[in-house]
Amino acid sequence: MSKNARVIKYVFVLPAIIYLILLTIYPLIYSLKISVTTLNIARPYPPQYIGLSNFVELLKDSIFLTAMKNTFFLTVLSICAEFILGFIIARFFFMGANLKLKGVGLLRTIYMLPMMVTPLVFGLIWLYIFNPTLGVANYLLSLLGFPPISWFGSTNIALYSIVLINVWEWTPFMMLLCLAGLSTIPPELFEVARIDGAGWHQSIAFIELPLVRRVILIGLMIRIMDNFRLFDLVYVTTGGGPGSSTETLSMFTYRQSFMFFNVGYGAAASIIILILGIILAQILIKSVWGKEEYA
Amino acid sequence: MRKREIKTTLLYVVLILITFLSISPLIWIFLTAFKIRREIFAIPPVWIPKLPTLNNFISIFTGGFSRTPFIYNSIIISLSTTLLAMVIATMAAYGFAKFRVPRSKDIEFWILSTRMMPPIAVVIPLFLLFRNVGLLDTKRGLIMVYIAFNLPFAIWMMSIFFRQLPREIEEAAVIDGCSTFSLLRYISLPLVAPGLAVVAIFTFYFTWNELLFALILTGRVAKTFPVSISEFRGVVNIRWGPMAASSIVHIAPVIVITFLLQKYIIAGLTLGAIKK
């Protein structure tokens, strides 16, 4: 390789690397520095160094622990529902595509629209649908003879309402990935299985699920990380309430830092979130790329 | 043959029902945007507006509650981010795909893992740093952050496309005396145009929809459209009509792009999962 080429490759690669270091690594180091202080941006006096007190405090903070529990719960519940529904719906679209039905492609595009809409707007729409007095959800329930539900007002139900909206918006994503996975299976396999007398459930268990495993894992990985940092939907519907029943990790940190201005405490929380996120990402990436060679 | 017809019909019914259910919240907000106040508050609900009105839309573009400046901010921020992120990412991806960069696997892995980073973890220090250097509440500042958050996906996607290019084409061009930059400009880039489209769509989509960074890093001046929409909540009497109209204005470009460029969107969503 000529000397010229050796220089040129850095011209290509370095801007991105430097940029990412400046805007992600450097702020994180700065965040570490703040997290061991009492910094509060609403107070005029200078912050004091307090060691790991913020972290100790956090692990004793019942709201933070609730936020962690809620985040875990809503992630698991949402993802299970999204995957099961997504796979079933993908099979219907797959059948449609195999039978070469007219308009299946168009239906699929329309079907996936919710996931293209920002969770902020989607959440606001549901705020209207779930409104206790003028919402259409309770009206439809009343037609079926059910009593009205306090969707966002009850500490027992609010988190499930969030999960419902979340699943409604993101099932199309899992469905698209499952569909893409199903389409890569050679049609002969289904043919052979049919000739051998395999039923539809055997086809799912022994052909479809194993062969789309990788796609499913990547989909799960993306959605787990999305849910782990869920903010918009909660911010716009419940704001973490009632009480702290829908508090998530991101919401907690936001409130501490930008409503109570406890930036030191918030930074400590964000570091815990980051560490949890890194561990989670490592586990997920390993499980997806595990035995295969990465890249 | 008859059995097949029944099966086809049933499948159509199922698919149409699923699709309708999926987008029913969007249909509902669309209908609401054209309703007068009385119809919005009616119980039982008025499904189709009997007295359709454009007042909700007029109210978000004019008068004291006008959202026009925020829509303008969002357009500028989204387009600038998309353009700049594409340039930086294309160069980096090309570098990784075509040259031997030391430890490139590790670097690429690091870049990809920054995509996993929870935004809340960087937004606090960014807020403080921006406050010190006067970038708070500026479009420039927000664009800088958005570029950083879109680079990982963009680099990853572009490097998949660059790696698929047959080597022979480029080798031939080099033998013909093509320099590195003109090789990229005239040979490689046109061939990875679909990848550029995917990156452009996803970057625009992310930027246009983003809330958390904009909420914290902007204020009166550089406030984005999503932040201004989020302000509908948190008041006692939500103005549902203008809220619905704002929502429609916000999602309209997204829906248009989805229909026109769905091929690229599906590629962007599934490519990384299927090929690697």
Side-chain angles (χ1 to χ4, degrees), chain B residues 220-262:
Chain B
R220 217 163 31 82
V221 183
K223 188 193 286 179
T224 64
F225 194 20
V227 177
S228 91
I229 294 176
S230 77
E231 285 165 354
F232 276 111
R233 74 163 288 273
V235 290
V236 180
N237 293 307
I238 296 179
R239 296 157 62 242
W240 297 110
M243 183 280 268
S246 302
S247 300
I248 294 299
V249 172
H250 186 268
I251 64 185
V254 173
I255 289 183
V256 170
I257 291 173
T258 308
F259 272 102
L260 292 180
L261 304 170
Q262 51 155 314

Side-chain angles (χ1 to χ4, degrees), chain A residues 9 19 102 108 115, chain B residues 12 100 144 205 233 262:
Chain A
K9 69 185 175 191
Y19 197 92
K102 275 207 191 84
R108 187 203 54 201
M115 63 174 271
Chain B
Y12 263 126
R100 245 178 262 125
M144 281 168 60
Y205 169 73
R233 74 163 288 273
Q262 51 155 314

Side-chain angles (χ1 to χ4, degrees), chain A residues 8-13 15-17 19-21 23-28 30-31 34 39 41 89 92-93 95-96 99 101-102 104 106-118 120-122 124-129 131 133-134 136 139-140 168 172-173 176-177 180 184 214-215 218 221 225 228-229 231-232 235-236 239 250 253-254 257-258 263 266-267 270 273-274 281-282 285 289 294-295, chain B residues 4 7-8 11-12 14-16 18-19 21-26 28-29 32 40-41 43-45 47 88 91-92 94-96 99-102 105 107 109-112 114-122 124-129 131-132 144-145 147-148 151 155 180-181 184 205 209 211-212 215-216 226 229-230 233 238 240 243 247 250-251 254-255 258-259 262 265-266 269-270 272-274 276:
Chain A
I8 276 178
K9 69 185 175 191
Y10 292 108
V11 173
F12 278 107
V13 177
I17 293 176
Y19 197 92
L20 282 173
I21 289 174
L23 272 122
T24 59
I25 304 288
Y26 176 61
L28 288 178
Y30 193 73
S31 194
I34 308 162
L39 181 62
I41 44 174
I89 295 170
F92 281 121
F93 275 99
M95 274 160 71
L99 290 170
L101 295 191
K102 275 207 191 84
V104 171
L106 181 66
L107 276 179
R108 187 203 54 201
T109 308
I110 299 174
Y111 167 77
M112 68 184 241
L113 287 180
M115 63 174 271
M116 305 308 293
V117 173
T118 163
L120 159 75
V121 164
F122 208 66
L124 271 178
I125 296 173
W126 282 92
L127 199 61
Y128 178 52
I129 294 174
N131 187 286
T133 51
L134 50 100
V136 72
Y139 172 74
L140 291 177
W168 202 297
F173 176 72
L176 280 179
L177 282 188
T184 59
R214 190 184 140 76
V215 182
I218 290 180
M221 178 172 91
M225 295 312 291
F228 181 69
R229 56 188 167 204
F231 175 79
D232 300 20
Y235 176 78
V236 79
S250 292
T253 312
Y254 171 78
S257 313
F258 300 103
V263 177
S270 77
I273 296 175
L274 184 72
Q282 290 299 324
I285 289 175
W289 278 286
Y294 170 69
Chain B
R4 194 191 146 92
K7 197 178 163 191
T8 312
L11 194 58
Y12 263 126
V14 170
L15 287 178
I16 288 169
I18 290 171
T19 305
L21 198 64
S22 176
I23 61 158
S24 55
L26 302 181
W28 186 228
I29 209 67
T32 305
I40 290 175
F41 283 89
I43 288 288
W47 299 111
I88 303 175
M91 286 178 56
Y94 188 74
F96 282 124
F99 302 109
R100 245 178 262 125
V101 180
K105 284 277 168 298
I107 298 172
F109 188 73
W110 166 65
I111 289 176
L112 190 59
T114 57
R115 182 175 164 70
M116 303 268 183
M117 191 165 54
I120 194 77
V122 275
I124 298 172
L126 281 175
F127 172 81
L128 297 171
L129 291 168
R131 206 172 55 151
N132 293 342
M144 281 168 60
V145 176
I147 291 173
L151 274 183
I155 292 174
T180 311
F181 281 100
L184 175 62
Y205 169 73
N209 283 348
L211 176 67
L212 181 61
L215 193 63
I216 293 165
I229 294 176
S230 77
R233 74 163 288 273
I238 296 179
W240 297 110
M243 183 280 268
S247 300
H250 186 268
I251 64 185
V254 173
I255 289 183
T258 308
F259 272 102
Q262 51 155 314
I265 291 171
I266 291 172
L269 289 170
T270 57
I274 289 177
K276 179 71 211 182

